């Protein structure tokens, strides 16, 4: 029965397109990219169906199929959230005698935030890279998130950061380096 | 059959309650038809344009409870213009003029004006129950009329309606003599309510079993209400924001502990997640938990809450629960039958936090799972095949991958085989929604295996007319078919027009059907209303039969063309 062969093919775990022997790049779980349209028509042997491809996600009317009541509710909730005033968090720096408080809502992104921290505590933060954290300085900006975990500032998108950040801590010295090792 | 007096048959028919069975009974012979129609009290009409109120009233003079549905399902997603139709007023007017003693009215996707509500409230002395789901067109003034005039009202249930909130005193309109309330749900109202009036109403409603509050009801009022109504079975919390060290919070803990009957919990429209521990005492008894309007609740706090809910049968949640959270559900909720995972960002701009992994975990841990609505980042054939094996009892399977044409990310194949496994394994499947990259093949499987399928929703799928033909030829019990953005044209539409008479309705938008094709259906099948919704200006100037039709909605009807269609709707 056609089905069992298809079943086997479907459960066969392999990297890459069927019919090709060398492994292709494995797309990561979080990859949001649209499939290449030429691949699609090649697989199915049907051409001329590529006009079917929808425009970018933001433009498709009625997609994703979420009830308009739910969508409106979401907008309402977001609005009241944003009208709620600033997101104030405490900032501590290892070795400094007292803490400061800043409003995260005021800043547009990480560069601005880091600049402000540098000015506030009179130090320099190194260069950020995804792999190695902050290099070139003894200090690393870290934050405590909603789950109580200590995270390196800069890893997640800005919007996600400001909603999950509870407090900031500028770590110094060896502790700092421990956090930035990409040995997760 | 002729040996039994009518009263005996009537008594026997009393035990037959399902609409389907009653309909069958009425077809047996003339005398059964007669007895059945006089004894029928509850009628369900899936499409308000399939029959007229006058004919309904003539056939069922003993009618007490009426359920009506108006707009097609895709109206939920803004694909149907607002004034397309589905007005309830003509129904209420006709019923009011007649001698029908209406007691219950349930409406879905209909346009309900304040005028209709007022007429309703004044026309039926014994009116007991009003349930409005996804309706629009009314304000709190209409609700005030219901409250003021329906002396024996038991149920006022407003689910996900767009209500123009005049911040009224509608709650104060329930007279002091009104003590019959069993169910009150106003969670969808956006405005302030008179809290004092609410407390007084609850205190004089000893039979109140279901209470769903809106966002404007603060915690201290909630606490007072729970003290007044510890018999509640179903609770919808409005605002749950407070300081964990406050007196109000302590009082709430005590109040909740008295509510030993709560089996259903929803709302948390505003939530302070660090205060969920007050809820734990009632979690162990919950069978239904709806947190889909509570984006503030996620991460560890959410996990902890779910871990207390061992008897859960239905769970509605946001995708911020993540695959890991679904793993907790799989370990904890062994009685789970229905799972709905909604996107935290309903505009689909962000990344959904759940993938095929979460679904596989739930399918493995919850063998009783039979109903699913799942918005996710991606899906694989392997996962769907596993799910099909783990849960052969699916009745409803609705999958929505946020990128509508996304293939299996591991194999880059379409999801034909995965969905094929679902329809082959789940022999009782009644409702199916597809998404992801799909070819004609999946429809071959559906036509072959989905013998009980009643409703099918398709978007951005298939390669040719064959897809639609497989479905129309194969699914004998199909009642509703809704299609958008698929390459189905006139050949598929016209292959078997008789089939549409066996169905409630067909929706096709952004497909390849032409005006000529639609005209052909209308000509061949006078028992169908074939509606074209054409919102572009071209419509006026281009009557070419080869013109592609934007939106087609056809449905069977006993009463011909409706008279209330707006200008841009053509009934062929």
């Amino acid at each position: 029965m056609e089905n069992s062969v298809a079943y086997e093919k479907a459960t066969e775990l392999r990297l890459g397109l069927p019919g090709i022997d060398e492994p292709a790049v494995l797309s990561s779980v979080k990859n949001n990219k649209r499939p290449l349209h030429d691949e699609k028509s090649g697989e199915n042997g049907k051409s001329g169906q590529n006009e079917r491809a929808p425009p970018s996600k933001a433009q498709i009317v009625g997609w994703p199929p979420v009830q308009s009541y739910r969508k409106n509710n979401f907008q309402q909730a977001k609005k009241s959230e944003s009208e709620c005033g600033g997101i104030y968090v405490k900032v501590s720096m290892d070795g400094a005698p007292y803490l400061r408080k800043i409003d995260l809502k005021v800043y547009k992104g990480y560069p601005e935030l880091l600049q402000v921290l540098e000015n506030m505590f009179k130090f320099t933060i190194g260069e950020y890279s995804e792999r190695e954290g902050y290099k070139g300085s003894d200090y690393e900006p870290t934050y405590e998130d909603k789950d109580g975990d200590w995270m390196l500032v800069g890893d997640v998108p800005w919007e996600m950061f400001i909603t999950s950040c509870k407090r900031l801590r500028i770590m110094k010295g060896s502790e700092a380096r421990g956090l930035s090792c990409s040995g997760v | 059959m002729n040996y039994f007096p009518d009263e005996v048959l009537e008594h026997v028919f009393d035990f037959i309650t399902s609409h389907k069975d009653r309909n069958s009974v009425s077809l047996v012979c003339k005398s059964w038809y007669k007895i059945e129609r006089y004894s029928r009290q509850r009628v369900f009409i899936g499409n308000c344009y399939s029959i007229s109120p006058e004919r309904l009233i003539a056939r069922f003079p003993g009618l007490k409870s009426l359920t009506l549905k108006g707009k097609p399902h895709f109206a939920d997603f803004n694909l149907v213009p607002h004034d397309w139709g589905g007005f309830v007023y003509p129904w209420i007017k006709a019923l009011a003029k007649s001698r029908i003693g209406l007691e219950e009215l349930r409406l879905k996707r209909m346009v309900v004006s304040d005028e209709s509500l007022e007429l309703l409230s004044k026309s039926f002395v014994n009116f007991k129950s009003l349930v409005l789901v996804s309706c629009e067109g009314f304000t709190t003034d209409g609700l005030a009329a219901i409250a003021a005039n329906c002396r024996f009202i038991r149920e006022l249930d407003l689910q996900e309606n767009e209500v123009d909130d005049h911040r009224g005193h509608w709650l104060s309109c329930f007279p002091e003599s009104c003590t019959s309330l069993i169910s009150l749900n106003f969670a969808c109202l956006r405005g302030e309510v008179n809290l004092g009036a609410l407390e007084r109403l609850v205190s004089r409603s000893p039979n109140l079993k279901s209470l769903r509050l809106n966002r404007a009801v603060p915690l201290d009022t909630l606490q007072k209400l729970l003290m007044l109504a510890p018999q509640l079975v179903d609770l919808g919390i409005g605002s749950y924001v407070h300081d964990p060290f406050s007196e109000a919070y302590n009082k709430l803990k005590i109040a909740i502990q008295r509510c030993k009957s709560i089996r259903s919990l929803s709302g948390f429209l505003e939530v302070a997640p660090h205060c969920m521990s007050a809820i734990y005492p009632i979690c162990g008894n919950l069978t239904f938990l709806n947190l889909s309007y509570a984006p503030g609740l996620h991460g560890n706090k959410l996990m902890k809450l779910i871990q207390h809910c061992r008897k859960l049968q239905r769970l509605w949640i946001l995708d911020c629960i993540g695959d890991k959270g679904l793993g907790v559900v799989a370990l904890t909720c062994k009685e789970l039958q229905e799972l709905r995972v909604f996107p935290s960002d309903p505009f689909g701009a962000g990344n959904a936090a759940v993938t095929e992994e979460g679904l596989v975990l739930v399918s493995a841990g919850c063998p009783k799972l039979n109903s699913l609505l799942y918005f996710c980042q991606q899906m694989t054939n392997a996962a769907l095949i596993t799910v099909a094996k783990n849960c052969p009892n699916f009745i409803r399977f609705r999958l929505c991958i946020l990128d509508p044409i996304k293939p299996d990310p591991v194999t880059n194949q379409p999801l034909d085989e995965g969905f094929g496994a679902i329809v082959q394994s789940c022999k009782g499947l009644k409702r199916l929604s597809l998404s992801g990259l799909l070819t004609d093949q999946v429809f071959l499987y559906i036509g072959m295996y989905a013998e009980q399928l009643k409703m099918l929703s398709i978007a951005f799928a298939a390669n040719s007319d064959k897809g639609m033909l497989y479905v129309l030829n194969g699914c004998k019990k199909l009642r509703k078919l809704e299609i958008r953005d698929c390459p189905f044209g006139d050949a598929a539409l016209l292959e078997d027009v008789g089939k549409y008479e066996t169905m409630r309705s067909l929706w096709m938008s952004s497909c390849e059907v032409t005006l000529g094709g639609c005209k052909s259906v209308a000509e061949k099948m006078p028992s169908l209303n074939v509606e074209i919704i054409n919102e572009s200006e071209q419509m006026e100037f281009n009557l070419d039969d080869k013109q592609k039709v934007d939106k087609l909605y056809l449905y069977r009807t006993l009463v011909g063309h409706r008279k209330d269609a707006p200008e841009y709707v053509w009934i062929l």
Side-chain angles (χ1 to χ4, degrees):
Chain A
M1 160 84 233
E2 193 183 340
N3 205 31
S4 54
V5 173
Y7 174 111
E8 264 174 52
K9 274 183 102 182
T11 53
E12 180 191 310
L13 295 177
R14 52 194 299 247
L15 304 178
L17 303 171
I20 297 173
D21 283 329
E22 66 276 350
V25 175
L26 175 68
S27 51
S28 78
V29 167
K30 295 264 183 267
N31 187 358
N32 219 10
K33 297 200 183 105
R34 203 163 282 289
L36 296 175
H37 295 309
D38 352 298
E39 273 174 48
K40 188 167 77 139
S41 64
E43 292 301 323
N44 305 323
K46 311 247 188 302
S47 56
Q49 296 304 333
N50 290 337
E51 297 81 55
R52 193 63 28 221
S56 80
K57 262 192 262 184
Q59 292 165 23
I60 308 178
V61 174
W63 194 270
V66 174
Q67 257 195 339
S68 44
Y69 171 83
R70 201 172 268 283
K71 280 185 166 160
N72 293 341
N73 210 319
F74 175 80
Q75 280 177 323
Q76 284 276 338
K78 280 239 121 161
K79 211 172 72 143
S80 50
E81 217 180 84
S82 61
E83 281 161 9
C84 259
I87 303 177
Y88 281 91
V89 297
K90 290 183 189 170
V91 190
S92 64
M93 168 141 149
D94 290 354
Y98 53 82
L99 281 64
R100 304 294 304 268
K101 224 171 194 185
I102 56 172
D103 178 359
L104 292 178
K105 271 229 164 139
V106 165
Y107 311 118
K108 294 195 186 55
Y110 287 118
E112 216 182 305
L113 171 67
L114 297 175
Q115 186 76 58
V116 165
L117 293 177
E118 282 180 322
N119 292 342
M120 209 179 243
F121 291 96
K122 308 271 180 292
F123 73 109
T124 37
I125 295 171
E127 282 289 314
Y128 171 79
S129 76
E130 211 173 55
R131 263 182 25 149
E132 293 174 280
Y134 292 87
K135 291 208 89 171
S137 149
D138 258 1
Y139 297 97
E140 312 245 9
T142 66
Y143 69 100
E144 186 184 13
D145 76 353
K146 280 191 172 147
D147 292 339
D149 300 315
W150 284 95
M151 319 283 294
L152 189 68
V153 168
D155 284 344
V156 302
W158 178 252
E159 292 300 309
M160 198 186 281
F161 166 73
I162 61 175
T163 52
S164 59
C165 171
K166 277 188 17 210
R167 51 189 300 167
L168 283 157
R169 175 183 163 198
I170 301 169
M171 283 190 188
K172 184 187 168 145
S174 51
E175 239 192 291
R177 239 156 277 129
L179 194 63
S180 72
C181 277
S182 53
V184 185
Chain B
M1 287 192 272
N2 293 334
Y3 306 143
F4 287 125
D6 288 359
E7 304 82 62
V8 174
L9 279 174
E10 207 182 297
H11 183 65
V12 172
F13 291 173
D14 272 349
F15 295 98
I16 301 171
T17 47
S18 96
H19 295 292
K20 188 162 159 270
D21 290 342
R22 289 227 104 176
N23 292 344
S24 306
V25 156
S26 68
L27 293 173
V28 168
C29 63
K30 274 200 190 141
S31 85
W32 278 39
Y33 177 88
K34 194 178 112 200
I35 298 166
E36 198 282 319
R37 72 176 257 255
Y38 279 111
S39 63
R40 175 97 78 137
Q41 294 186 343
R42 317 180 67 88
V43 175
F44 169 86
I45 295 177
N47 174 4
C48 64
Y49 291 119
S50 61
I51 190 72
S52 71
E54 290 76 21
R55 282 179 67 162
L56 176 76
I57 292 164
R59 180 169 170 191
F60 300 114
L63 184 67
K64 290 214 165 77
S65 162
L66 177 62
T67 303
L68 280 173
K69 293 191 181 179
K71 300 186 197 180
H73 176 230
F74 276 2
D76 280 353
F77 317 131
N78 292 333
L79 290 177
V80 177
H82 272 289
D83 47 348
W84 169 86
F87 308 104
V88 78
Y89 187 76
W91 288 84
I92 298 183
K93 188 160 147 214
L95 287 161
K97 266 207 304 209
S98 75
R99 300 233 222 110
I100 300 269
L102 195 68
E103 294 184 12
E104 180 178 292
L105 187 61
R106 309 165 76 93
L107 306 176
K108 186 167 186 180
R109 266 182 240 114
M110 293 200 72
V111 178
V112 181
S113 60
D114 282 346
E115 209 189 338
S116 329
L117 290 177
E118 204 177 320
L119 183 58
L120 176 69
S121 72
K122 292 184 173 156
S123 309
F124 308 102
V125 171
N126 279 323
F127 193 75
K128 296 194 170 74
S129 167
L130 180 63
V131 180
L132 302 177
V133 181
S134 301
C135 296
E136 53 171 356
F138 60 103
T139 76
T140 43
D141 294 348
L143 298 177
I146 298 287
N149 302 326
C150 300
R151 290 171 48 209
F152 302 112
I153 189 93
R154 287 200 206 150
E155 180 176 24
L156 180 56
D157 185 357
L158 308 171
Q159 297 175 33
E160 295 169 338
N161 304 288
E162 293 291 351
V163 185
D164 205 354
D165 199 324
H166 292 169
R167 250 131 259 236
H169 50 282
W170 67 276
L171 265 176
S172 322
C173 291
F174 284 101
E176 287 301 314
S177 55
C178 174
T179 58
S180 48
L181 266 184
I182 297 179
S183 166
L184 179 62
N185 173 7
F186 60 93
C188 64
L189 294 185
R190 298 218 166 91
E192 303 300 316
V193 287
N194 184 329
L195 299 176
L198 176 59
E199 285 172 42
R200 287 190 295 278
L201 180 61
V202 171
S203 72
R204 64 176 186 277
S205 304
N207 296 321
L208 194 66
K209 292 281 189 298
S210 170
L211 180 62
R212 295 193 185 187
L213 310 167
N214 76 347
R215 188 187 289 264
V217 180
L219 197 92
D220 52 348
T221 306
L222 171 65
Q223 178 264 324
K224 289 185 198 152
L225 295 173
L226 292 179
M227 291 300 283
L228 289 167
Q231 76 280 4
L232 282 179
V233 172
D234 169 23
L235 175 64
I237 292 181
S239 171
Y240 193 78
V241 178
H242 51 86
D243 178 350
F245 299 109
S246 66
E247 187 53 34
Y249 184 60
N250 284 329
K251 282 190 180 168
L252 180 71
K253 282 206 258 198
I254 296 168
I256 289 185
Q257 274 167 357
R258 292 176 73 226
C259 298
K260 302 204 188 300
S261 305
I262 294 183
R263 298 287 174 271
S264 161
L265 187 62
S266 60
F268 295 97
L269 307 174
E270 257 177 17
V271 59
H274 42 276
C275 305
M276 298 309 287
S277 54
I279 305 288
Y280 295 164
I282 53 172
C283 285
N285 288 326
L286 289 180
T287 56
F288 176 44
L289 179 61
N290 180 358
L291 297 175
S292 65
Y293 286 103
L297 197 53
H298 50 263
N300 287 343
K301 313 291 183 199
L302 178 57
M303 290 318 104
K304 266 192 157 169
L305 183 69
I306 292 192
Q307 278 168 332
H308 282 85
C309 302
R310 305 201 140 267
K311 292 199 189 151
L312 221 49
Q313 293 173 13
R314 295 165 62 213
L315 176 63
W316 294 20
I317 198 89
L318 290 172
D319 65 6
C320 51
I321 191 175
D323 287 333
K324 203 170 113 192
L326 289 176
V328 173
V329 172
L331 286 173
T332 311
C333 310
K334 295 303 180 189
E335 301 298 312
L336 198 68
Q337 294 174 30
E338 176 178 317
L339 175 67
R340 295 196 190 191
V341 181
F342 294 94
S344 323
D345 183 351
F347 294 92
N351 291 333
V354 297
T355 69
E356 77 277 9
E357 290 178 15
L359 183 58
V360 169
L361 287 172
V362 175
S363 75
C366 310
K368 295 187 183 176
L369 196 63
N370 63 35
S371 176
L372 180 76
L373 172 61
Y374 197 73
F375 284 83
C376 59
Q377 174 79 338
Q378 62 182 45
M379 186 52 57
T380 64
N381 283 310
L384 285 173
I385 290 168
T386 303
V387 169
K389 265 212 310 243
N390 291 339
C391 299
N393 298 320
F394 273 115
I395 300 174
R396 271 172 243 109
F397 193 89
R398 298 158 68 187
L399 190 73
C400 177
I401 303 168
L402 289 183
D403 177 346
I405 52 164
K406 192 170 175 131
D408 179 330
V410 173
T411 63
N412 237 17
Q413 292 293 293
L415 292 175
D416 301 336
E417 298 307 314
F419 280 107
I422 294 285
V423 292
Q424 196 181 6
S425 166
C426 305
K427 307 214 186 300
L429 193 68
K430 293 197 178 143
R431 182 168 178 184
L432 178 64
S433 301
L434 309 167
S435 62
L437 183 64
L438 296 162
T439 71
D440 289 343
Q441 184 72 2
V442 70
F443 299 105
L444 173 69
Y445 292 142
I446 293 173
M448 238 170 22
Y449 296 113
E451 287 172 15
Q452 303 299 320
L453 196 66
K454 288 205 211 159
M455 182 170 175
L456 179 62
S457 309
I458 310 170
F460 302 102
N463 311 108
S464 73
D465 285 336
K466 284 206 284 207
M468 186 165 164
L469 289 172
Y470 289 141
V471 172
L472 291 175
N473 291 334
C475 300
K476 299 293 175 213
K477 298 209 176 163
L478 195 64
R479 298 249 286 279
K480 286 190 279 183
L481 181 57
E482 44 184 29
I483 304 169
R484 64 165 293 179
D485 294 89
C486 293
F488 301 141
D490 293 342
L493 181 68
L494 294 170
E495 168 86 1
D496 178 10
V497 292
K499 170 86 176 172
Y500 305 132
E501 221 176 23
T502 69
M503 291 166 54
R504 187 187 297 171
S505 64
L506 168 69
W507 169 281
M508 292 179 77
S509 58
S510 305
C511 296
E512 307 287 318
V513 294
T514 67
L515 184 57
C518 297
K519 279 185 184 171
S520 198
V521 179
E523 217 177 275
K524 295 188 177 145
M525 300 293 297
S527 58
L528 301 176
N529 273 357
V530 180
E531 298 192 8
I532 311 288
I533 302 171
N534 230 329
E535 292 163 283
S536 57
E537 283 112 45
Q538 280 184 325
M539 174 185 98
E540 312 237 345
F541 308 103
N542 192 350
L543 294 171
D544 180 4
D545 277 3
K546 290 208 234 352
Q547 170 82 357
K548 293 236 176 89
V549 156
D550 211 13
K551 292 170 183 167
L552 160 68
Y553 180 54
L554 63 81
Y555 51 90
R556 67 181 175 193
T557 177
L558 293 173
V559 291
H561 292 187
R562 61 184 175 112
K563 310 278 185 299
D564 61 359
E567 253 182 24
Y568 53 80
V569 173
W570 289 355
I571 309 182
L572 301 178

